[in-house]
Amino acid sequence: MVNGLYIASAAPGAGKSLVVLGIVDALHRHVGRLGVFRPLIDGSENRRDPVLSLLRRRYQLGARQCRGGFPLTAAVTGLVPGDQGELLTAALGIYGRMSRACDAIVVDGSDLRGPDPGREFELNCLLASNLGLPVVAVVGGAGLSPRQTGQAVTAAVRQFGAARCSLLGIVANRVRPEDESQVEAEMGVSAAGVLSYVIPEVPGISTPTVADVASSLHLRSMWGSNEWDRDIRQLRVGGMNADDFLVTLASGDLVVVPGDRTDVILACVASALSPDLPSPAGIILTDGLRPAPNVVKLLERAPFPVFTGKADLYSTAKRVSTVRSEIHTGESRKLAAALGIWSRKVDEAELLEQLALPRPTAVTPLRFFNDLIERARHHKRHVVLAEGEELRIVRAAEILRRRDVCDLTLLGKAATINQLAAVHGVDLGGVHIIDPAAAPDRERFAREYCRLRTHKGMILERAREIMLDPAYFGTMMVHLGMADGMVSGAAHTTANTIRPALEFIKGHDPHDVISSVFFMLFPDRVLVYGDCAVVPDPTAGQLAQIAVASADTAARFGVQPRIAMLSYSTGQSGAGTSVEKVRQATELVKAARPDLPVEGPIQYDAAVDAGVASAKLPSSVVAGKATVLVFPDLNTGNNTYKAVEHSAGAVAVGPILQGLRKPINDLSRGSSVEDIINTVAITAIQAQR
């Protein structure tokens, strides 16, 4: 059992960064203090290593947790065995200092892209052996047959063995999807007794993006969109006239054209702004030529990035054609694709069993969010997003699909949604789109709604109109079992989202209270606030139901429930109608759920501050340690969560509705793409019950 491992490439171009990202992501969810050490960094001493920069930023690693070693130069790889002592001693020193600040360390070897890959490989083996770490080796299968990949695995096992490295696992990466089963069979023989995994080539990872090209060619961004995270479908050289060029142009093409070819440049802009024509991923203007001022004004509004370069058309096109896809230049889309395929193809539990990992004591916001994603995709559910024509929803849908979190349906006009995706470089492959106005199920939905609301005087003609509303249409999909949950509210009010659910989803019992909670994420813990969004002035009985439901929600998401029934008075120190309501609600919770620790009435400071609690309620098992805080009314709850969010720097996730038979959740109209992803993941987890 070990608390660190060395990830090493067996050959250039193996795609090791994907494996590093996957292992770091898995360990980050399972240990308290994770470290990443890259002993041979890419670049010079004056330039940050891009892989370390990505990991440091994404996983919020401090200076003592994320370290680089020595720039990978010809002088370093050319060291003869007798001259390597100083390098090894320094690496051991860095690792030793990191081990005092970390519970587990991932050591990321170099990528074997230097002038002497063979010597570089030997140096990585020497580092792994001297650090005393087992190796996860990465073998590239791109361009190889299954048999050739098996031979490469056999060679890697032999080479690491000869270097006296302990081989923990081996990953065959970038394998052709159609060859997966054959490669698995080959590895069963060539890597017998070693953990082995096969990861197929994924276009979302291997396809270069505009960001890859801009970084590799050091291009200058001049006009248009600042969205560089766009896959490049194909390189398109604008050397012909505009009429012929438009015939060949497709959405996602990167256009390389001289800066004085006004006809082709304008054709690209016009095409991108037309709903039925393709939108380029970007334009590179060559030869150092600047378009005319009137053309520049149009380029400033282009929905794609526009770059300039001094090289000629041929040289630029040639360099673009050789650009590699790099995970570290990608943003959420490429990372989502990498983590999605990792989770599908690698048995994390099997791999982590080999490591001695102390469980983390603090639940940070990042760890909470990552855990949501993993739990959601463990038992995939189907979630419908009612606002499919909203850009934030479209972007979130792509990330959710790439990370394989759940099955998705977007509601809206297909042409509008697809055009929105094309203009902004979003890939919605695998996401279902339904237009409520044209859906074959609309009539069936209207009849079902009319049946459910007959007692309210509903008629079929009106029901047909109501089913044009995406929130009603999506909720009916959930009601009839065509989806497991729905999310809305990014562009509509909370009432618009909740009303359909209150009308015909309702609770398991007619007397159930529909309420909500917010997850309040602090740097070292998660608190649950309820109710902050639905019930204006609950009775004592309703307040007790809200408390029990909030505790159950907390437990479902890994928060041990300790309920504080909040009031302006603690214990017996005060009186009044509101205090008595809270006191009565507390007794009802105790009677209904004796398994739940509950305290009330109690003030907020006594609920969460151990020092205050020791003075006011020294014998309480909840005071000072409360995790579920139940507010006496909506006015108090709503204002408190917003005050804490904006003043204390907490991250508020919600509102999450509770008490419904099936999950329907609301978004804030100010929700970010990340907020939407998290809410969808929560909805999918709720649907797993």
Side-chain angles (χ1 to χ4, degrees):
M1 302 291 284
V2 296
N3 64 349
L5 72 167
Y6 198 108
I7 306 175
S9 291
K16 177 174 59 64
S17 293
L18 184 151
V19 178
V20 172
L21 179 67
I23 289 177
V24 169
D25 189 77
L27 287 174
H28 184 268
R29 285 180 268 111
H30 289 84
V31 300
R33 301 174 303 168
L34 175 66
V36 177
F37 177 35
R38 192 163 161 85
L40 301 171
I41 62 174
D42 183 16
S44 67
E45 294 180 353
N46 299 321
R47 180 173 164 274
R48 285 189 172 184
D49 181 90
V51 176
L52 283 182
S53 296
L54 166 66
L55 297 175
R56 185 182 294 116
R57 181 177 66 251
R58 180 174 179 83
Y59 297 102
Q60 300 171 4
L61 303 177
R64 293 199 301 169
Q65 295 173 273
C66 192
R67 293 287 305 274
F70 307 93
L72 188 57
T73 62
V76 170
T77 55
L79 290 173
V80 297
D83 295 331
Q84 293 167 342
E86 186 176 344
L87 175 66
L88 294 174
T89 299
L92 286 167
I94 294 173
Y95 185 86
R97 291 189 292 275
M98 289 183 67
S99 65
R100 292 192 287 272
C102 302
D103 298 317
I105 301 175
V106 175
V107 181
D108 178 16
S110 63
D111 300 319
L112 310 188
R113 294 186 190 173
D116 191 343
R119 295 294 296 274
E120 195 177 326
F121 175 83
E122 293 172 3
L123 188 54
N124 278 279
C125 290
L126 191 63
L127 284 164
S129 178
N130 279 271
L131 289 170
L133 297 178
V135 172
V136 173
V138 187
V139 174
L144 302 181
S145 68
R147 183 170 180 78
Q148 289 171 326
T149 304
Q151 291 171 343
V153 169
T154 300
V157 171
R158 185 176 61 251
Q159 289 171 328
F160 281 107
R164 299 184 179 180
C165 291
S166 173
L167 197 59
L168 173 67
I170 191 160
V171 179
N173 190 27
R174 304 189 64 192
V175 171
R176 288 185 303 184
E178 61 270 23
D179 292 340
E180 274 189 76
S181 58
Q182 290 179 269
V183 172
E184 287 174 357
E186 291 281 349
M187 291 183 72
V189 177
S190 55
V194 177
L195 297 178
S196 58
Y197 308 101
V198 178
I199 299 179
E201 186 86 275
V202 177
I205 303 171
S206 59
T207 301
T209 64
V210 171
D212 288 320
V213 171
S215 175
S216 180
L217 272 65
H218 306 292
L219 296 175
R220 183 182 179 190
S221 175
M222 294 295 293
W223 309 288
S225 170
N226 60 0
E227 299 167 351
W228 296 10
D229 190 17
R230 300 163 176 253
D231 292 339
I232 298 172
R233 191 194 72 89
Q234 192 171 335
L235 172 63
R236 188 68 61 193
V237 177
M240 60 188 77
N241 64 57
D243 290 340
D244 294 332
F245 176 79
L246 279 177
V247 173
T248 66
L249 183 66
S251 287
D253 285 352
L254 178 64
V255 177
V256 180
V257 61
D260 61 352
R261 286 297 305 271
T262 301
D263 58 335
V264 174
I265 295 169
L266 292 180
C268 289
V269 176
S271 182
L273 297 176
S274 301
D276 300 323
L277 294 177
S279 178
I283 291 180
I284 301 175
L285 304 180
T286 67
D287 299 278
L289 298 172
R290 184 184 178 92
N294 288 336
V295 178
V296 168
K297 289 181 180 179
L298 291 173
L299 288 177
E300 289 173 350
R301 302 178 184 179
F304 49 76
V306 180
F307 303 92
T308 60
K310 294 182 179 180
D312 61 68
L313 180 68
Y314 173 78
S315 299
T316 302
K318 184 177 180 180
R319 289 185 64 193
V320 170
S321 67
T322 62
V323 170
R324 294 166 47 95
S325 173
E326 300 285 358
I327 286 180
H328 59 74
T329 62
E331 297 180 21
S332 53
R333 297 170 65 251
K334 193 177 290 188
L335 298 180
L339 292 173
I341 194 65
W342 169 267
S343 69
R344 291 194 296 273
K345 299 300 179 181
V346 175
D347 187 340
E348 284 187 356
E350 178 184 58
L351 184 60
L352 296 180
E353 279 180 5
Q354 308 301 314
L355 308 178
L357 302 176
R359 291 294 298 176
T361 55
V363 181
T364 65
L366 182 60
R367 187 169 288 120
F368 180 80
F369 290 144
N370 283 346
D371 187 59
L372 284 181
I373 298 298
E374 287 306 309
R375 292 182 60 187
R377 65 186 177 195
H378 188 63
H379 294 292
K380 286 178 64 177
R381 291 296 185 263
H382 179 191
V383 178
V384 57
L385 302 178
E387 299 156 315
E389 296 179 13
E390 163 66 42
L391 178 59
R392 288 169 295 161
I393 296 292
V394 170
R395 290 194 184 283
E398 182 190 33
I399 301 302
L400 288 160
R401 193 266 306 168
R402 287 190 173 209
R403 289 209 66 175
D404 202 31
V405 174
C406 60
D407 296 323
L408 288 172
T409 293
L410 301 185
L411 298 184
K413 293 182 175 62
T416 302
I417 294 172
N418 288 329
Q419 175 66 11
L420 188 67
V423 167
H424 293 277
V426 177
D427 176 14
L428 289 180
V431 176
H432 193 39
I433 299 174
I434 295 178
D435 180 0
D441 290 312
R442 180 183 160 209
E443 180 67 19
R444 179 164 71 99
F445 287 7
R447 292 184 181 278
E448 174 66 7
Y449 181 71
C450 189
R451 182 186 71 81
L452 294 169
R453 303 292 289 174
T454 297
H455 66 290
K456 294 291 186 179
M458 182 57 57
I459 60 175
L460 185 58
E461 288 75 9
R462 175 59 182 150
R464 291 187 180 115
E465 293 178 6
I466 289 174
M467 282 303 127
L468 291 172
D469 185 327
Y472 273 91
F473 191 94
T475 304
M476 186 59 74
M477 288 179 65
V478 176
H479 170 68
L480 294 176
M482 298 172 63
D484 299 306
M486 188 197 78
V487 173
S488 185
H492 295 86
T493 64
T494 295
N496 180 265
T497 299
I498 296 177
R499 189 182 300 112
L502 297 179
E503 288 183 5
F504 56 91
I505 294 288
K506 301 182 179 179
H508 291 283
D509 186 290
H511 301 293
D512 284 347
V513 175
I514 310 302
S515 61
S516 72
V517 295
F518 277 86
F519 290 102
M520 303 299 294
L521 310 183
F522 296 87
D524 59 346
R525 58 180 167 170
V526 177
L527 299 181
V528 177
Y529 285 9
D531 171 19
C532 305
V534 180
V535 186
D537 189 14
T539 65
Q542 290 174 323
L543 201 59
Q545 284 196 49
I546 292 170
V548 171
S550 300
D552 288 342
T553 299
R556 191 171 301 119
F557 288 91
V559 178
Q560 183 180 354
R562 292 185 290 270
I563 308 170
M565 307 294 286
L566 298 177
S567 174
Y568 58 77
S569 171
T570 294
Q572 303 297 321
S573 65
T577 304
S578 177
V579 176
E580 291 306 315
K581 179 179 77 169
V582 173
R583 184 173 286 119
Q584 183 183 350
T586 303
E587 295 305 316
L588 291 172
V589 173
K590 291 178 179 178
R593 291 288 298 275
D595 59 305
L596 292 174
V598 59
E599 187 68 65
I602 186 172
Q603 292 164 291
Y604 190 99
D605 58 348
V608 300
D609 188 300
V612 176
S614 65
K616 292 188 175 183
L617 290 172
S619 61
S620 173
V621 298
V622 172
K625 298 177 287 187
T627 56
V628 178
L629 296 104
V630 180
F631 296 91
D633 54 60
L634 185 60
N635 181 54
T636 307
N638 191 269
N639 280 295
T640 301
Y641 105 76
K642 289 183 177 178
V644 171
E645 179 184 23
H646 291 281
S647 299
V651 178
V653 179
I656 306 303
L657 299 184
Q658 52 192 16
L660 295 167
R661 287 184 294 109
K662 297 182 179 181
I664 306 292
N665 281 315
D666 182 41
L667 296 166
S668 164
R669 276 170 283 180
S671 294
S672 66
V673 171
E674 197 65 34
D675 293 334
I676 296 167
I677 292 169
N678 293 329
T679 302
V680 171
I682 287 172
T683 305
I685 293 169
Q686 288 178 308
Q688 293 172 355
R689 285 186 296 170

